[in-house]
Amino acid sequence: MLIVQKFGGSSVADAERVMNVARIVTEKYRQGHDVVVVVSAQGDTTDDLIDKANEINPHANKREMDMLLAAGEQISISLLAMAIEKLGCPAVSLLGWQAGFQTSSKHGVARIRKVKSERIRNELDQKKIVVVAGFQGLDKNEDMTTLGRGGSDTSAVAIAASMHADLCQIYTDVEGVYTADPRKIPAAKKLDEITYDEMLELATLGAQVLNNRSVEMAKKYGVELEVISSFTNRPGTKVKEVINMEKMLIKSVAKDTDIARIVVVGVPDEPGMAFKLFSRIAKAHINVDIILQSVGRDGTKDISFTVPKKDGEAAVAALRDYCDSVGALELSARTDVAKVSIVGAGMETHEGVAAQMFEALSDANINIRMISTSEIKISVLIDADDAERAVAAVHAKFFE
Ligand code: ADP
Ligand code: ASP
Ligand code: MG
């Protein structure tokens, strides 16, 4: 079998943990499998490198940021290859470009175009364990790129997809995907299985356990994922197309605090207002999430919406002219908000799920500012200060 194993930053944080990973990897290798290992930078290395750059130039050129951040993974791959050799197995470490990762040129958020996996194949054929740097690649100008935070998950799935691996295991510091972040909610339960669609929603709505692009790619190429702990020897969570678990309504609760809410008060209650407003936001390349428009009263209405926190100021700047020209009374951005969501394919066919969620929030005396729903999720926007309590209350309602 060809097995791709990915180890996150906490799994390779220090020498002891690197040796632990080497033991997991060599065990599979000794069973006769071809093993490709993808690793992230050790512990908080990526954050530390970002801090270092900010000390020198907070507006650093994105190309240079990628050059810097790619160094984190280079340390992990070489150390892990050394650890594997210490345990008596042959290994070779490869940077993203050596492993054939070709990406777009969008530094910091590059997209994988292709993995030219000949080199990996070659090394495997020479009976080596291949250790690949996650999170990085090379663009058409042969400049280093990175894939965005948490991007090593996507690197692992891309290798698994392009080499038709039999298994892609994402090793991390928890035992799988839970009904809520197990570090915040001690009563959270591990799921045996979850569908791609549910996992994609969950990842997009703030559960960092898998990067959402990795799930998107896994679904597209049919790569079955297993999220599993590198510290305990227990079965993890399988992410796949169809699952045979008894119908569980809701799978998990997620929280996202990386949000800004933009409020425009006193827009004329006439056709075309939303169109004009959101075309300015689109022109500024800002993604809009939840949108709420009030009922018109006395000839005016209010429009509010959410954007990623980093785009809050840019959204306000993009709307200043518009607000002046239509005579809006107020334009503001607030970042002290959070989005709490429940995800589950079962809710599509069950009434009353939303009411149950709102009841939990009401009992906890938490005010809902915005609501958004789809077939498999319900999200509410609330004050950031209430977020932890909200997750606990909603989790208790559905799972405890
Ligand atoms: P890695 O460094 O291995 O990539 P991450 O920190 O990116 O690990 O992701 C693992 C973390 O995701 C866990 O430590 C946990 O706190 C968090 N997490 C958030 N939501 C969930 C969830 N529903 N199930 C499991 N873990 C979750
Ligand atoms: N080291 C990168 C990060 O911290 C990539 C990853 O961990 O997946 O975001
Ligand atoms: Mg991660």
Side-chain angles (χ1 to χ4, degrees):
M1 286 215 302
L2 170 59
I3 301 175
V4 177
Q5 300 187 314
K6 178 258 169 179
F7 293 87
S10 49
S11 302
V12 292
D14 55 32
E16 198 183 314
R17 290 184 178 187
V18 172
M19 287 311 301
N20 173 58
V21 169
R23 275 189 290 275
I24 296 174
V25 171
T26 51
E27 191 184 303
K28 273 279 179 299
Y29 176 82
R30 291 204 163 102
Q31 289 165 5
H33 303 298
D34 284 343
V35 185
V36 180
V37 195
V38 175
V39 275
S40 302
Q42 291 187 287
D44 297 327
T45 301
T46 308
D47 291 322
D48 295 344
L49 291 172
I50 292 171
D51 290 346
K52 266 190 213 292
N54 284 340
E55 268 175 43
I56 290 171
N57 180 357
H59 305 291
N61 173 320
K62 293 201 165 99
R63 178 194 180 276
E64 300 311 331
M65 276 312 282
D66 278 357
M67 195 59 115
L68 177 68
L69 296 189
E73 271 69 13
Q74 181 163 3
I75 295 173
S76 314
I77 53 168
S78 48
L79 292 176
L80 180 58
M82 293 172 198
I84 292 171
E85 299 213 312
K86 188 171 172 194
L87 297 184
C89 295
V92 59
S93 65
L94 300 176
L95 288 168
W97 66 268
Q98 294 173 304
F101 275 83
Q102 299 181 346
T103 74
S104 70
S105 296
K106 277 224 159 190
H107 288 287
V109 287
R111 294 222 157 225
I112 298 169
R113 295 245 188 273
K114 195 177 193 178
V115 185
K116 293 191 71 186
S117 50
E118 288 83 1
R119 173 80 187 266
I120 299 181
R121 184 74 264 166
N122 218 323
E123 301 287 357
L124 289 173
D125 289 345
Q126 295 174 50
K127 291 291 154 229
K128 287 186 194 147
I129 295 174
V130 183
V131 185
V132 178
F135 176 59
Q136 55 175 258
L138 206 64
D139 73 2
K140 60 179 185 315
N141 307 315
E142 304 200 319
D143 280 325
M144 297 267 248
T145 54
T146 65
L147 309 178
R149 299 308 303 270
S152 298
D153 297 337
T154 314
S155 306
V157 174
I159 293 177
S162 73
M163 301 188 73
H164 306 286
D166 300 284
L167 190 58
C168 185
Q169 297 178 302
I170 308 289
Y171 281 85
T172 184
D173 56 359
V174 290
E175 288 182 2
V177 181
Y178 282 68
T179 51
D181 185 342
R183 298 191 181 285
K184 302 279 165 55
I185 306 290
K189 299 177 185 71
K190 188 179 73 189
L191 302 168
D192 295 331
E193 300 179 315
I194 187 166
T195 65
Y196 292 127
D197 288 335
E198 290 169 327
M199 191 62 233
L200 183 56
E201 280 290 350
L202 208 51
T204 307
L205 293 169
Q208 88 200 99
V209 60
L210 279 178
N211 179 279
N212 59 353
R213 275 164 59 189
S214 73
V215 184
E216 198 173 40
M217 189 182 287
K219 178 179 159 75
K220 184 167 171 193
Y221 295 100
V223 175
E224 197 171 299
L225 298 176
E226 184 178 9
V227 180
I228 184 172
S229 165
S230 53
F231 304 120
T232 68
N233 205 0
R234 302 221 186 90
T237 302
K238 295 247 164 70
V239 187
K240 51 194 203 180
E241 188 66 49
V242 189
I243 65 174
N244 39 31
M245 220 154 118
E246 81 279 18
K247 277 261 176 289
M248 227 170 121
L249 260 189
I250 307 300
K251 289 285 161 45
S252 194
V253 186
K255 177 188 81 172
D256 186 357
T257 51
D258 189 25
I259 287 175
R261 179 190 189 206
I262 315 295
V263 179
V264 187
V265 177
V267 179
D269 191 14
E270 296 163 7
M273 285 297 139
F275 159 64
K276 282 182 198 142
L277 190 159
F278 288 108
S279 17
R280 311 236 166 169
I281 296 294
K283 231 179 243 159
H285 302 288
I286 297 171
N287 263 331
V288 173
D289 183 19
I290 311 178
I291 299 175
L292 187 74
Q293 176 176 301
S294 71
V295 176
R297 191 166 289 158
D298 302 330
T300 69
K301 61 193 174 191
D302 307 335
I303 297 178
S304 52
F305 58 96
T306 63
V307 298
K309 194 174 257 177
K310 66 171 175 38
D311 295 328
E313 278 176 31
V316 168
L319 291 181
R320 202 140 271 141
D321 279 2
Y322 164 84
C323 286
D324 289 346
S325 70
V326 303
L329 299 174
E330 192 191 312
L331 166 65
S332 61
R334 287 184 55 175
T335 53
D336 54 351
V337 292
K339 184 165 70 173
V340 170
S341 312
I342 53 175
V343 172
M347 73 170 83
E348 205 175 356
T349 49
H350 281 78
E351 63 290 345
V353 177
Q356 257 180 296
M357 181 183 190
F358 303 155
E359 184 184 20
L361 294 168
S362 155
D363 289 348
N365 203 21
I366 292 168
N367 191 22
I368 301 172
R369 302 197 175 273
M370 295 168 113
I371 299 170
S372 128
T373 65
S374 78
E375 304 88 66
I376 68 166
K377 66 127 202 219
I378 301 171
S379 298
V380 295
L381 193 82
I382 57 175
D383 291 343
D385 286 345
D386 291 333
E388 300 263 326
R389 273 193 320 118
V391 174
V394 173
H395 189 270
K397 185 85 183 169
F398 288 102
F399 300 106
E400 292 167 39

